[in-house]
Amino acid sequence: MTTPPPGLRERKKQATREALRAAALRLAMEHGPDRVRVEDIADAAGVSPRTYNNYFASREQAIVSAVTADREARIAAAVAARSAGVRLAEAVTEAVVEQYTDAGEGAHEALLFITTRPALRHAFLDSTAGIEPPLTAVIAERLGDTGAPTARVLAASVAAAVRIALEGWLRPAGEDAGAAESPDAGGLVVPVGSLSDRLRAALAPLAPSFDAAERRVQP
């Protein structure tokens, strides 16, 4: 299925969203996230606070979006681009690992900034929920079963697994490895182990469910 190119209205909306993301991150890194107001971000992006509120629910969401921008859509696109001969579980795992471990040029400093601020870290973890809607659509199309809840359940499980992997990876320094994860903890956060390995380990238990769903729709 070929997706038509976005129209002028959609391109303008995307440009506004990108301007708000960039302004939010820049101001937060210059002044500290607690000293940045929605009005400041909107003014820096050349829009009104009302327009800002059409795109983001909080300043933390806007700041974090500068790093996570459209990642959920890229994950879904990567799954859709995989050959039909590739297991769905494998396609989803590889797409998630690729998008979460390739931060992109200049993104590492921003990611470090976000993960060392409790409120931003919490918003970063919350952003994993955005995986569900676009991934649901792609899984449903792959299964040819758009009316059943299977695709949504699988996509929601992927989003939960990714969050769990990130929580384990972003462990506050000095925290016992066996302790419950606390995204709200302050202080230095030390990434623990390989994010790629953590994502694969968190997603591995979902493979039987993906395989079973594919078997049900095979001719």
Side-chain angles (χ1 to χ4, degrees), residues 8-210:
L8 177 60
R9 184 167 181 269
E10 283 303 313
R11 292 198 300 272
K12 286 183 176 180
K13 288 174 64 177
Q14 182 62 22
T16 299
R17 187 177 292 109
E18 290 173 359
L20 287 167
R21 288 169 178 160
L25 179 62
R26 176 176 58 79
L27 291 172
M29 294 184 75
E30 288 177 356
H31 306 292
D34 293 338
R35 297 184 177 181
V36 178
R37 302 176 305 161
V38 166
E39 291 81 1
D40 299 327
I41 299 171
D43 184 62
V47 300
S48 68
R50 181 177 179 180
T51 296
Y52 172 95
N53 291 328
N54 290 333
Y55 291 88
F56 299 107
S58 68
R59 66 184 177 188
E60 289 80 14
Q61 188 183 77
I63 295 166
V64 167
S65 181
V67 171
T68 63
D70 301 323
R71 179 181 283 160
E72 60 273 12
R74 296 198 304 270
I75 289 173
V79 173
R82 288 276 177 167
S83 165
V86 176
R87 287 171 57 224
L88 185 54
E90 179 182 342
V92 169
T93 298
E94 293 308 313
V96 168
V97 170
E98 176 184 296
Q99 293 303 324
Y100 270 91
T101 57
D102 183 8
E105 185 178 354
H108 292 288
E109 182 182 357
L111 182 60
L112 179 62
F113 174 79
I114 286 169
T115 56
T116 53
R117 273 75 178 176
L120 297 182
R121 186 159 65 241
H122 191 82
F124 177 71
L125 293 172
D126 283 348
S127 71
T128 59
I131 294 172
E132 182 183 337
L135 189 57
T136 294
V138 169
I139 293 174
E141 184 175 346
R142 174 78 175 256
L143 297 178
D145 196 14
T146 56
T150 302
R152 185 176 177 186
V153 170
L154 291 172
S157 300
V158 169
V162 171
R163 179 175 181 126
I164 289 168
L166 291 175
E167 286 177 346
W169 187 62
L170 296 173
R171 181 178 300 134
E175 184 179 272
D176 186 344
E181 308 298 347
S182 178
D184 295 317
L188 177 66
V189 169
V190 180
V192 180
S194 164
L195 177 55
S196 173
D197 289 347
R198 283 186 174 273
L199 287 167
R200 292 182 188 280
L203 291 167
L206 304 183
S209 296
F210 274 103

